[in-house]
């Protein structure tokens, strides 16, 4: 029975506490609301800042006087002695270069020995005998031309003269040409032979032919 009573007392106390809290809270809210209503919104305008004072004018500072310019000192001529020129040193020519010894080129090899060739031999004796007074050119007779013609004949392998060269002129063109023409037509030779004994071409010694008017 006592426990129920204690519980009932506790419940009643809690109810009083809740009611008291509600009353206090409500009163405080109403008081705050009334103060807010009393407040009025006021736009506060800030005062503009005072104008800045102009800076004071600069003080007049006197300019320093210009420096005094003194006249330059007078020019003094100083005689400078001319340099002493020493005589030029004679140039010594360089020594001549040493001679360069160049060995002589080797001697060329000796030519091979010429093959042994026999001389052609006349089969008709002296070639002068092949000429007669009838062979004298008419133009040479009219001009009284005479003299000795020296010729060299080339004898072919067949023993006939294939060429005639005048190696000593008589002074008459008619006598020179007539000598070669007759010698090539009438000369007969035994041809020369080479080292193997075969007939070959060779030249005769110089042959004199005398032309003389009767």
């Amino acid at each position: 029975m006592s426990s129920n009573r204690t519980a009932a007392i506790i419940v009643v106390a809690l109810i009083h506490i809740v009611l008291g809290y509600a009353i206090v809270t409500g009163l405080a809210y109403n008081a705050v609301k009334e103060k807010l209503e009393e407040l009025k919104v006021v736009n506060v305008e800030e005062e503009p800042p005072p104008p800045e004072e102009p800076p004071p004018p600069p003080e007049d500072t006197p300019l320093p006087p210009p420096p005094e310019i003194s006249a330059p000192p007078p020019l003094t001529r100083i005689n400078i002695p001319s340099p002493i020129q020493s005589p030029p040193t004679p140039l010594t020519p360089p020594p001549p270069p040493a001679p360069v010894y160049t060995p002589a080129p080797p001697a060329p090899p000796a030519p091979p020995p010429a093959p042994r060739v026999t001389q052609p031999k006349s089969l008709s004796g002296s070639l002068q005998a092949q000429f007669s007074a009838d062979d004298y050119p008419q133009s040479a007779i009219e001009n009284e031309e005479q003299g000795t013609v020296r010729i060299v004949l080339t004898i072919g392998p067949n023993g006939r003269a294939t060429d005639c060269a005048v190696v000593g002129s008589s002074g008459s063109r008619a006598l020179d040409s007539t000598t070669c023409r007759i010698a090539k037509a009438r000369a007969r030779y035994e041809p020369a032979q080479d080292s193997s004994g075969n007939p070959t071409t060779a030249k005769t010694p110089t042959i004199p032919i005398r032309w003389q008017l009767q």
Side-chain angles (χ1 to χ4, degrees):
M1 189 69 181
S2 57
S3 59
N4 292 332
R5 187 175 181 179
T6 300
I9 293 170
I10 293 171
V11 171
V12 173
L14 291 173
I15 293 173
H16 282 84
I17 292 171
V18 172
L19 290 175
Y21 175 77
I23 292 171
V24 174
T25 304
L27 293 175
Y29 175 75
N30 292 329
V32 173
K33 184 177 181 181
E34 291 176 0
K35 293 294 182 180
L36 290 175
E37 290 177 357
E38 293 177 1
L39 294 176
K40 294 180 180 180
V41 179
V42 179
N43 292 329
V44 179
E45 296 181 359
E46 295 181 358
E47 295 182 2
E52 296 181 358
E53 296 181 359
E59 297 179 359
D60 293 335
T61 304
L63 298 175
E68 295 181 0
I69 301 175
S70 59
L75 298 176
T76 303
R77 177 175 294 179
I78 301 174
N79 294 327
I80 300 175
S82 59
I84 300 175
Q85 296 182 354
S86 59
T89 304
L91 298 177
T92 303
V100 179
Y101 173 73
T102 303
R116 184 174 51 187
V117 178
T118 61
Q119 294 293 335
K121 297 179 181 181
S122 176
L123 298 178
S124 56
S126 174
L127 186 60
Q128 181 73 56
Q130 304 296 323
F131 292 82
S132 65
D134 297 336
D135 297 327
Y136 218 107
Q138 185 64 33
S139 61
I141 295 174
E142 295 173 356
N143 296 325
E144 297 182 352
E145 297 174 351
Q146 58 184 1
T148 301
V149 182
R150 290 176 172 83
I151 61 175
V152 173
L153 297 177
T154 301
I155 307 301
N158 59 356
R160 304 291 297 268
T162 61
D163 190 22
C164 174
V166 177
V167 295
S169 176
S170 63
S172 170
R173 181 176 299 179
L175 294 178
D176 293 347
S177 60
T178 301
T179 300
C180 277
R181 177 176 58 81
I182 295 175
K184 290 175 63 176
R186 300 176 183 174
R188 295 291 182 271
Y189 279 81
E190 180 182 345
Q193 295 180 356
D194 58 14
S195 58
S196 301
N198 299 319
T200 185
T201 301
K203 294 181 181 297
T204 64
T206 301
I207 305 172
I209 303 296
R210 176 67 180 171
W211 297 90
Q212 186 174 4
L213 293 173
Q214 300 296 331

